[in-house]
Every structure is written in C-alpha cells, then in structure tokens.
Amino acid sequence: MRSLFRLEGGLFHPLPFAASPGAVECQSSAAVAGLLAREIELATALAPLWLARLTVEAPRAVPMAPVATRTRVLRDGKQLQLIQAELTIDGELFADAIGLRVRKGDSPYDAAAPHGLGGPDAVSGAPPFGVFGHDGPTRIRMVGGPSYDAFAYWALCEAGLVEGESATTVVRAVMACDAAAAMSRNARGEAACPGVDLSLYLARAPSGGWILAQNEAEHADPSCGLVSSLLSDSDGAFGYAHQTLLYAHAAD
Amino acid sequence: MRASEREIDEYYGVDGDEFLPTMLSASPWRRDAQNGVALGLLMAHTLEAQFDPSREQVARFTLDILHPAPFAPTNVTWSTIRADSRIHLFEGKLEARGLKAVRASALVLAAGESAPRTDGGRDFAPPAESSERELNQQSGLNVRLMRSGSRGAATHSRATAWVRVEADVTPGEPASNIAAAIAAADMGAVALRRYRDCWDFPNLDVAVHFVRPPHQGWLRVDTEPLMLGAGVCVINHRIFDGEGPCARAHQTLFFNPRRRTSA
C-alpha cells in the first residue's frame, strides 16, 4: 500500500502522496491534519479513550520537508483527555491540533436519520473541479450533480498515512472530509486557499472505509466562507466537520 | 426578563486585572464553580479587545473547559499565535485561584470589502410565549424555547430557542454580537431535558464557526443532538439573526449516569 509519510529517524518524511494537489511543493492539508490526528490518537492515556473532537489550525503552508511532531497533555484523566499536537520543521511551528478524547461509556442512543443517498457503489460521479488528481490517495465519488454550495461525496482514503501502518478510521475520516474545502467556491468561482483550519465533532468513531460528506458552503463575502459537513458511514451519521474558507484575491 | 427583575446586572465585576464573578456566573451543577455561558462571554469579551472589529472578524471560536473554574477572582490572558495581513490566530487562557480552567482559541480574519454591518438589520423578535423563566432568572439570558421536533441528523430532541443576553458582561459593557452568539451556543441542554432525571451531561467545550458577524439583538438557535451511545452527545447548533443564518456551533456533552441518593 502506498503511503503519505515514511517515519525515519524520528521525522515524518513526506512522500509524493502527501503533496497538495494544487501546490505540489507543499503538503496537503489532509496529510497535515491526518498526521496530527494520528499523533493525538497514539498519545499515552490512563484508560482506553477515543477521539471525539479534533481542531486543526494550519494557517501557513507546510513545505514538502521532513516534519517532527510532539504532543502535550492539557487535561488528563481516565474519563477524558485533552491533547495538543504540534507539527514543526526545524523547530518552527507550522500547524497544531487540539484533540478531545473520551472514554466509551454508557449514554443515550438516538438513532441518526438515514442520509437517503445512494451508497458508494451506487454512484460513480468523478469530482468535477479537477482538484484531485486521478492517482491521489483518496478516491472520491460525487453524489448528485456538481454544485459549489451544496454537494455530497463519498470518499475512501486508499493510501496509508505512515508506511507500515494502517490508518485508523478517524484518520481516514479526517482526510476524507478535508476535501470539502477544496471543492468549495465563492461567488466569483474562485477556489479557497488550502486548509486554514479543520474541526471535527464526532458522536462515535466512524466504521469502515467509505465516508459520506454532505456539505454546505456559505459565504457572506467573497473573501471568506465556511464549509460545513455532515459525516456518515455505512451505519449512518456519526459527526460534523467545518472548515474556514479563505480566498486569495482579497489580499490584492 | 426586564433588567428591573434581576438583582445583578452583570456577569463579572472588575478589580484591576481581575474579573469578579457574580451569581449570574455560578454553575448550575456546582455553586463553587463558574458556568459555561459566563466563561464564554468573558473569553469573547476579552478576545475582542485584542483586535479591531471594524477591520477584522471572528471566523472560529473554540473554548475548552480544562477544569471547573473556581468561583473566585479570575484572570484572562490572550496571546497571538500567528498574525499576518489576513489571519490572526489567538490563544487565550482563563485562570482562577491559580488553576488554568479554560483554554480558548480564535481564528480572526481580515474583513472583506463587503463585510456585512453588524448593527441594525431587520426586526427579528421571537414570539412572546414559552419564556424560560427559571433559566432566565439564573443566567442573565432571555431564553424562549419554541418547539422541539424530529428533523435533520437526529431523529428526536430537536429544539429551537430564541436567546438574548440581557446582563452586561462587566459593569456598563454589554455582550457583543460575537459574545452573544457564543452564549447562545451553550444552549444544547435545552434539547435534552428528558434525560435529566437519569443523566448528568456537563459541557466539555463550545465551538462557534461564524459565516459572518451576527447582528445585535435576538438570536435564534436551532439545536439537534447527535447521541450514538458512545459516552458523549454532540450538539449541533445553527444560529440565525434577522438577516438569516450566521453561524454554526457545537458542544460536546459528557454523559454520566446520575448518582441517586437514598431518602
């Protein structure tokens, strides 16, 4: 299986799959977010915990250079844990993430409404905007016709995140929902800058490989916006994601 | 609720660099701690002193409760993590009695050339019925719960609340439109009343993603919980002002079976 990173000498070396589709000299926001999610999931815990929330902040492009990661615990316990993960190059901070991990305990169950869309095998639409390469790490199948402000897709992350490892379902979900920002456009038809931030809010861990993202992009102004995603797997909805959209022209 | 019906008109007094919580800031879960609405208001209020709201706008605000904030004089500090011509990234912390109780982060963007006005807007008033009188008297908010139903991702427990912040954050300083939206995003529990007898569900975080700054005044919050038996409930809010949808927000509620005490 092809991967996005090779772990060597304590550093994560980006492989070609880690490159941004729109700027190959930089790592994709999906790769950055996936790596930070991995670090949070691997952090030592006092009890079995799962990742219920992830907030990634990546306000600057990460070059295709070896990166280091480090984590620190902001709140610790057997029931929940708040962890910060940082991604650095030569000691310089490029991105960080906060992850909330919780114990899997009893709580009410209120079945999520079915999404009512066809499954990944029932749709075959290719991503219409040319953002994703035909040989990228994530397979995308659009559901319904193309739209810039309301669209849905199934995504399957086919590559491993780190060589020799299987990516967790949470990491795969992080990388799958990241694509929503790349597909959004403002009223001028412009594409947003690569991921400024990415936030996931999960009611349970995802299962399986395919992730359905039902997305709505909102813009009050051509310079910025918000894309919001309802995330489902084959068992139904399991969480939400949001990404701030920032458009390059506004600085001109 | 009219101001004259409240004994206290602000969430915090001010003494130098310290904020002094009033009873409006007391937690409903434990009276020796501050409540989430007050903490969110204070963090937002202090955040907005860090930038020029006429030139920049908050895109995302995330608040993590690290520990129950002691009901004691409170300090808030904000630091800039990154700043360039388009992006300001801030990190804030709130400490009381030497305990770091809250961590917050905020993404602030340069306002665009056609950024909407944040004052005025068309009239946006809720129906007069269903005032949440008990909650209002305790919280400094005016909350009107309109309905519950079953739409969206969750099949039950959907609720709509109208919210207006009535009390000032500090004496003479009302809540801004941003702070009011953050307070409104703390309303998730109104959709979960039927679980109160058997469960405690304290709030671990609040995050608000703004499409644009809300207008002053009433906000409508459509709330639906996503509860899938994994120990937490993710509250999904959509926030509206008189011009339409202006923000999305979430809370993570941590579920624990309620301990029963014998008579």
Side-chain angles (χ1 to χ4, degrees):
Chain A
M1 175 188 290
R2 289 182 290 180
S3 302
L4 279 69
F5 294 98
R6 175 179 297 137
L7 179 55
E8 197 171 276
L11 297 176
F12 295 91
H13 296 254
L15 301 172
F17 262 8
S20 169
V24 293
E25 70 279 11
C26 297
Q27 297 182 34
S28 69
S29 51
V32 170
L35 193 55
L36 288 166
R38 172 191 183 270
E39 294 307 292
I40 289 170
E41 285 199 291
L42 287 177
T44 303
L46 298 170
L49 303 172
W50 67 278
L51 185 59
R53 200 200 85 215
L54 180 73
T55 304
V56 178
E57 293 172 339
R60 55 193 298 199
V62 182
M64 286 289 282
V67 297
T69 59
R70 62 182 176 225
T71 58
R72 64 189 177 105
V73 176
L74 303 178
R75 177 180 183 176
D76 208 1
K78 291 182 178 177
Q79 302 215 74
L80 59 96
Q81 187 183 53
L82 196 68
I83 295 187
Q84 182 172 30
E86 295 180 338
L87 187 151
T88 62
I89 296 177
D90 296 331
E92 188 177 353
L93 180 67
F94 277 80
D96 79 345
I98 300 289
L100 171 67
R101 298 202 293 174
V102 298
R103 58 92 177 96
K104 187 173 181 180
D106 287 339
S107 61
Y109 181 85
D110 190 0
H115 53 69
L117 302 175
D121 294 330
V123 296
S124 58
F129 309 127
V131 173
F132 300 95
H134 43 274
D135 193 28
T138 302
R139 194 190 316 175
I140 304 279
R141 290 179 180 171
M142 302 302 296
V143 182
S147 167
Y148 290 134
D149 53 9
F151 54 96
Y153 63 84
W154 286 94
L156 175 65
C157 185
E158 296 184 297
L161 182 68
V162 176
E163 263 185 357
E165 297 179 5
S166 292
T168 66
T169 56
V170 169
V171 167
R172 289 173 184 272
V174 169
M175 296 176 66
C177 67
D178 176 84
M183 294 188 199
S184 301
R185 297 289 184 276
N186 65 10
R188 298 172 180 168
E190 298 161 323
C193 302
V196 177
D197 66 359
L198 169 63
S199 302
L200 271 82
Y201 307 87
L202 306 181
R204 63 163 170 79
S207 60
W210 284 99
I211 300 294
L212 172 65
Q214 295 170 268
N215 314 287
E216 188 174 351
E218 299 167 276
H219 298 87
D221 182 272
S223 68
C224 58
L226 175 70
V227 61
S228 303
S229 308
L230 172 63
L231 305 176
S232 302
D233 55 22
S234 57
D235 296 324
F238 64 86
Y240 304 90
H242 301 278
Q243 296 174 78
T244 301
L245 304 171
L246 192 62
Y247 294 90
H249 80 276
D252 299 339
Chain B
M1 183 174 57
R2 293 188 301 274
S4 59
E5 296 176 28
R6 278 195 316 273
E7 295 180 358
I8 303 166
D9 288 329
E10 61 274 335
Y11 289 89
Y12 294 90
V14 178
D15 182 9
D17 292 337
E18 291 185 324
F19 297 94
L20 311 175
T22 70
M23 288 313 294
L24 290 181
S25 299
S27 167
W29 303 99
R30 43 184 294 182
R31 305 305 278 185
D32 60 345
Q34 299 177 48
N35 68 52
V37 168
L39 294 170
L41 284 168
L42 182 58
M43 294 306 290
H45 182 72
T46 51
L47 166 68
E48 290 181 282
Q50 310 298 313
F51 64 91
D52 180 355
S54 69
R55 302 180 63 178
E56 296 175 283
Q57 59 193 47
V58 179
R60 179 180 48 77
F61 176 92
T62 305
L63 182 148
D64 283 299
I65 296 174
L66 305 179
H67 301 281
F71 195 83
T74 297
N75 293 92
V76 177
T77 56
W78 284 93
S79 54
T80 299
I81 302 301
R82 179 170 172 79
D84 61 28
S85 62
R86 307 275 326 265
I87 293 175
H88 249 119
L89 199 54
F90 293 100
E91 180 178 316
K93 65 179 179 180
L94 179 148
E95 293 183 325
R97 210 173 278 150
L99 182 70
K100 183 178 174 182
V102 169
R103 179 199 185 273
S105 68
L107 174 66
V108 176
L109 304 179
E113 65 268 36
S114 59
R117 292 178 53 182
T118 58
D119 56 349
R122 68 181 170 83
D123 188 30
F124 192 61
E129 62 206 74
S130 303
S131 178
E132 295 291 284
R133 191 165 187 81
E134 181 184 353
L135 175 62
N136 294 346
Q137 288 174 336
Q138 295 171 352
S139 69
L141 304 175
N142 194 340
V143 180
R144 296 182 187 176
L145 188 61
M146 290 293 109
R147 62 179 171 80
S148 58
S150 56
R151 276 172 34 204
T155 53
H156 303 293
S157 305
R158 202 167 190 267
T160 292
W162 294 71
V163 181
R164 186 169 67 184
V165 180
E166 301 273 353
D168 290 346
V169 181
T170 57
E173 297 192 29
S176 70
N177 49 344
I178 295 292
I182 291 165
D186 204 47
M187 291 291 107
V190 302
L192 299 174
R193 292 186 163 180
R194 64 190 172 119
Y195 297 102
R196 279 186 182 166
D197 288 345
C198 300
W199 302 91
D200 288 327
F201 38 89
N203 190 22
L204 300 181
D205 55 26
V206 174
V208 185
H209 300 262
F210 291 95
V211 178
R212 58 174 172 78
H215 296 286
Q216 293 285 8
W218 285 98
L219 296 171
R220 196 187 91 203
V221 187
D222 286 357
T223 294
E224 63 176 350
L226 189 57
M227 295 186 291
L228 300 174
V232 296
C233 169
V234 175
I235 300 289
N236 178 41
H237 299 291
R238 192 152 194 200
I239 301 175
F240 301 78
D241 65 9
E243 298 299 319
C246 55
R248 312 244 185 175
H250 297 282
Q251 295 172 267
T252 306
L253 304 183
F254 186 77
F255 270 73
N256 266 319
R258 176 161 279 202
R259 293 193 188 96
R260 296 197 179 278
T261 54
S262 55

